[in-house]
Amino acid sequence: MAVVSGEVTTNTSVDIDQTVRDTIERIGYTDAGMQFDYKSCAVLITLKKQSRDIAMGVDKDGAGDQGMMFGYACRETEALERGSFMPLPLFLSHRLVERQAQCRRNEDFPGLRPDAKSQVTVEYSESGDPVRVDTVVLSTQHHPMYNGAKQEDLRGHVREHIIKPTLGEKWWHPGIKVHINPTGQFEIGGPHGDCGLTGRKIIVDTYGGMGRHGGGAFSGKDPTKVDRSAAYMARHIAKNVVAGGLADRCEIQLSYAIGVADPTSVHINCFGTHKADPAKIERAIREVFRLTPKGIIESLHLRAPIYSETSSHGHFGRHPGKKTVETTWDGKAQSQSFETFTWEKTDKAEALKKLVG
């Protein structure tokens, strides 16, 4: 069963049932043998109108809730992927499950199923630089063909087709510890094996614990909810601070009050890596970036239908490019392109440098 619940205020009509089934199919649950598939699953829809008490604050361009949001950026992955500015352990973890999905879709070897998770342990120097990958954990759902003694065949495929290509010559070494499906077989997966709900993967969605988190989930929320939009802006700010050479590591904290437009605080932490006075950087941030919910939505174009791209492999550190949406209006087909992950741009770095001096 897939449950769609929440609050929405709209004048349009959406075929939610079909959207859910299309999504489950795209994820890869297409076979009834997995005990969950897009054709036979139930879809339970329980939606209502947004609370008028919350709407009062949102409708006047205030924040949709109180809370604090964090953004983080660092220089660890510059050599791996230009413009990533992400912690190395999480960056590699995301690339591992991304590679697993590619191998499954491309059928690089048989028997992979959609459910997978990864974890990477990295050793750091005294100065805070990544030195070597110590341990890689990758668990992947599989076809019954790999049960029992056949697990070793699966482990060999995963090591050669997923882990080694992802780590590359820079991070793969003979002494690395690798755990592939460490409990043994992983045939039962997905909702049938371990059901969850939107929003429980908030650390995976952000910085893997390297940067702090205010506790609010992203997925399932529209941009009037600062849990999502202000966290994207905080990432945008932190990334521009690092890209502008003002610090090697940067964490931004924003906080808001429900119904109030301006943030109640803006705080910067460069962990001692700042190249300029942090107070000057903070003042420049307030000048360069629009920090009201309305300003964030407009400057990052968060009304565009871009959010399906964020639902897997993390919300930060990637550049999926533009998304094209096909629509029909008055019987005429139209095609629109929208830029995704606008918060990953470093277009404000020069303005920050100029103001900080």
Side-chain angles (χ1 to χ4, degrees), residues 212-355:
R212 283 175 285 191
H213 196 293
F218 300 163
S219 298
K221 295 178 182 176
D222 74 87
T224 67
K225 300 296 186 188
V226 283
D227 279 343
R228 183 168 207 155
S229 54
Y232 288 173
M233 178 54 81
R235 161 65 177 174
H236 187 48
I237 297 168
K239 188 170 182 179
N240 276 271
V241 168
V242 175
L246 300 176
D248 292 333
R249 291 173 65 200
C250 179
E251 183 180 78
I252 300 293
Q253 179 191 318
L254 305 174
S255 65
Y256 290 83
I258 187 168
V260 179
D262 290 310
T264 55
S265 73
V266 179
H267 177 67
I268 183 171
N269 182 2
C270 296
F271 307 94
T273 68
H274 52 275
K275 317 296 182 187
D277 181 359
K280 283 187 175 182
I281 300 174
E282 196 170 299
R283 285 195 295 271
I285 286 168
R286 288 180 179 270
E287 263 193 73
V288 170
F289 298 93
R290 299 171 64 190
L291 301 179
T292 65
K294 182 180 180 181
I296 294 171
I297 290 168
E298 290 178 353
S299 57
L300 296 181
H301 307 293
L302 297 182
R303 291 285 188 196
I306 56 175
Y307 296 102
S308 63
E309 299 291 340
T310 66
S311 62
S312 58
H313 312 315
H315 293 239
F316 307 128
R318 328 187 264 136
H319 303 273
K322 291 191 174 182
K323 177 182 179 180
T324 302
V325 178
E326 304 293 337
T327 58
T328 303
W329 184 257
D330 284 342
K332 296 178 181 178
Q334 295 180 338
S335 178
Q336 284 182 286
S337 290
F338 300 94
E339 195 168 1
T340 60
F341 289 54
T342 50
W343 49 91
E344 290 297 309
K345 287 183 172 183
T346 53
D347 54 334
K348 305 295 184 184
E350 289 303 317
L352 282 174
K353 283 171 68 175
K354 188 175 180 180
L355 279 173

Side-chain angles (χ1 to χ4, degrees), residues 86-101:
M86 291 290 283
L88 180 63
L90 185 76
F91 178 86
L92 291 176
S93 294
H94 280 313
R95 300 294 76 77
L96 283 167
V97 291
E98 197 172 44
R99 175 78 180 169
Q100 187 271 356

